[in-house]
Amino acid sequence: MKCPFCGKENTRVIDSRPAEDNSAIRRRRQCDKCGKRFTTYEKVEVIPLIVIKKDRNREPFDRDKVAAGVYGACHKRPIPAEKINKLIDDIETIVFNREEKEIESSEIGNIVMDKLNELDQVAYVRFASVYREFKDVNTFIDELKKILDKK
Ligand SMILES: [Zn+2]
């Protein structure tokens, strides 16, 4: 990091600490040449994630939408809120850690289903029934059978 006073490049970090809201790291640096001190901030680069919807329109990823779907599926199930929030966090992490910065909404749906399947079978079926838009009772029963066969 170049010294803002003398322009020399030999500066060193003498102190690092999180900024007030933990969204950045504040570093105190000192120039080896002129001895002056200055501050730098290191922040996470936020790259927006774009969701490709069924109609091919795009919109920014919205955690609240995923959360609403998950909460709806878990309604009145004996699942601690803490676990539900952890699941939503996990989904968000998976989605943001992909290489691509665009994701099909169907892929998000599959990730949510995978996670719900591990958490609670009823919540899983509820989500799947809304998400896959079961056309009739038979598709719904097929899906249930798949779940039961796994046991
Ligand atoms: Zn300097």
Side-chain angles (χ1 to χ4, degrees), residues 3 5-7 31 33-34:
C3 170
F5 302 102
C6 71
C31 174
K33 175 80 179 162
C34 70

Side-chain angles (χ1 to χ4, degrees), residues 1 5 8 21 36 43-44 50 58 62 80 92 96 99 104-106 119 136 146-147:
M1 183 75 63
F5 302 102
K8 286 284 179 294
D21 61 352
K36 288 203 170 108
K43 286 195 168 200
V44 173
I50 301 299
R58 267 106 164 133
D62 183 353
E92 203 177 25
F96 273 92
E99 297 257 311
E104 304 261 349
S105 58
S106 60
L119 183 73
D136 52 57
K146 268 194 250 164
I147 293 166

Side-chain angles (χ1 to χ4, degrees), residues 100-115:
E100 305 84 50
K101 287 302 152 205
E102 286 198 328
I103 183 168
E104 304 261 349
S105 58
S106 60
E107 201 178 327
I108 297 177
N110 287 334
I111 296 167
V112 175
M113 282 197 286
D114 278 354
K115 287 283 156 194

